[in-house]
Amino acid sequence: GRTLAITGDLAWTSPSFDGSANVTAAGTLATVNSTVGVFGATNAIPVVTVNGKGLVTSVTTVAIPKILTFSAGAASSITGTTTETVLAAITVPANATGPNGTVEIYPLFAITASTNVKTMRVKMGGTTFVSYAQSTSTVTGWAPGIMITNRNSAASQIGALQGAGYNLSASLAPVTAAIDTTASTTIEITGQLANTGETITLERYLVRVTYAA
């Protein structure tokens, strides 16, 4: 008998036949993509390469930048004590930043206008990134922006006050840290008074966490 064969993108060879009856056989598509499986997730977009014949020749993924926001508008105050007091604590989930992500913190403080020292601090993972002591009799508030960024590692950071406030004093220079952000991390916004008769109020805050691989 005789056989027929197809080669190329489809491999197929018929059974032997002599024309007296129909014959069938399964064909096999050529492998054009050695990477097989399920692609894409809540934090990854599939990137598909298709050749001119409509065949998928490769699939990869790229990370989706994830942004988490935490905010509160209920005021929190300290008065009657000179002990440093936590006015807000925000938990950043494990792995929320990735090795190059950024945490932005925007608190709004209202303070008693006097020459007594009112100290406002922003901490992450136990490290104080900004500590600002205000003792000007005409100043009634402070609204900083703090940016903390991972430095190509989930356990290495640099952070500082942003904008014009950066040059207020040497105590506001950039701070480095070795916080393990593959675990959940706590941000603390605190106040501390020198005079118990005065007040520091955290009027509101916004924390924005941006993931970057």
Side-chain angles (χ1 to χ4, degrees):
R2 309 292 291 180
T3 62
L4 294 175
I6 298 174
T7 61
D9 294 327
L10 174 68
W12 176 81
T13 300
S14 74
S16 177
F17 68 95
D18 59 11
S20 63
N22 295 330
V23 295
T24 61
T28 301
L29 288 173
T31 299
V32 294
N33 175 24
S34 60
T35 304
V36 298
V38 177
F39 299 89
T42 57
N43 62 346
I45 299 172
V47 178
V48 181
T49 302
V50 180
N51 69 14
K53 298 176 181 179
L55 300 174
V56 175
T57 57
S58 71
V59 184
T60 58
T61 60
V62 293
I64 301 171
K66 292 197 298 184
I67 299 177
L68 302 176
T69 56
F70 307 87
S71 64
S76 177
S77 297
I78 171 179
T79 191
T81 179
T82 58
T83 301
E84 182 182 11
T85 301
V86 176
L87 300 173
I90 304 100
T91 300
V92 178
N95 298 305
T97 52
N100 288 289
T102 296
V103 177
E104 301 166 75
I105 307 161
Y106 301 98
L108 172 61
F109 294 96
I111 60 177
T112 303
S114 76
T115 56
N116 297 312
V117 174
K118 285 80 59 180
T119 304
M120 293 150 281
R121 299 183 179 92
V122 175
K123 306 177 180 183
M124 189 172 92
T127 298
T128 299
F129 282 91
V130 171
S131 179
Y132 180 50
Q134 175 56 249
S135 58
T136 302
S137 62
T138 57
V139 174
T140 59
W142 189 45
I146 300 96
M147 185 178 292
I148 303 166
T149 302
N150 281 356
R151 309 177 84 181
N152 204 35
S153 167
S156 176
Q157 297 81 32
I158 187 167
L161 195 67
Q162 301 303 298
Y166 177 85
N167 295 314
L168 286 173
S169 71
S171 65
L172 298 176
V175 173
T176 57
I179 302 162
D180 180 11
T181 58
T182 63
S184 61
T185 308
T186 301
I187 296 169
E188 292 184 330
I189 303 172
T190 74
Q192 187 170 13
L193 296 165
N195 185 319
T196 60
E198 298 182 339
T199 303
I200 298 173
T201 299
L202 178 64
E203 296 285 4
R204 57 96 175 135
Y205 67 80
L206 170 67
V207 175
R208 183 162 50 225
V209 181
T210 305
Y211 179 94

